[in-house]
Amino acid sequence: QVQLVESGGGLVQAGGSLRISCAASGRAYSTYAMGWFRQAPGKEREFVAAINWSGRSTQYVDSVKGRFTISRDNAKNTVYLQMNSLKPEDTAVYRCAAAQDWGNVFSLPKVLPAEYRYWGQGTQVTVSS
């Protein structure tokens, strides 16, 4: 069992930066692939970024490439999403997710919600124009 708790959300002006975190409890965190998803009001859940268990492989949705960076610290059981050059359209509830990853150090990150077993409650990110 893995429990995920997000933090670091808030209100930021367009062009600003924010770093959100997801702390995991439970055993063998370092064997889990992690992902960030977001959902804005009236819209479907959207994949944002993912990282494999080793941290050597990452993937992003096109709309955040070059602006967002996902990283992990396995010693702290935490995954981060650094968000720069934020836009109003980035406003959403951001949720992290975890899934067992038995691949090699370059295993592909998981991008589909159905691939993830554990989910956090989410943190609100609001970008004002």
Side-chain angles (χ1 to χ4, degrees):
Q1 188 76 13
V2 175
Q3 292 185 326
L4 305 173
V5 179
E6 301 93 338
S7 62
L11 174 64
V12 62
Q13 288 188 334
S17 297
L18 205 60
R19 188 179 79 161
I20 56 178
S21 303
C22 173
S25 63
R27 299 168 62 181
Y29 165 78
S30 61
T31 65
Y32 281 80
M34 303 297 295
W36 285 100
F37 293 79
R38 66 186 180 187
Q39 188 165 18
K43 295 188 177 181
E44 294 187 353
R45 180 171 48 187
E46 176 188 33
F47 165 76
V48 178
I51 189 167
N52 76 339
W53 68 270
S54 71
R56 302 285 291 275
S57 183
T58 60
Q59 193 159 345
Y60 302 88
V61 67
D62 285 346
S63 60
V64 308
K65 284 180 181 177
R67 299 190 298 122
F68 289 12
T69 302
I70 188 171
S71 62
R72 66 188 298 158
D73 185 339
N74 286 347
K76 295 182 178 180
N77 283 12
T78 301
V79 63
Y80 305 96
L81 187 67
Q82 176 67 45
M83 304 182 290
N84 299 328
S85 301
L86 282 161
K87 304 175 181 179
E89 51 263 44
D90 294 319
T91 295
V93 174
Y94 285 72
R95 297 178 69 186
C96 68
Q100 199 80 54
D101 184 355
W102 301 111
N104 61 34
V105 293
F106 296 110
S107 60
L108 292 177
K110 302 180 188 300
V111 302
L112 299 176
E115 296 182 281
Y116 289 92
R117 180 174 182 181
Y118 303 104
W119 291 83
Q121 292 300 307
T123 186
Q124 176 71 46
V125 173
T126 302
V127 184
S128 63
S129 56

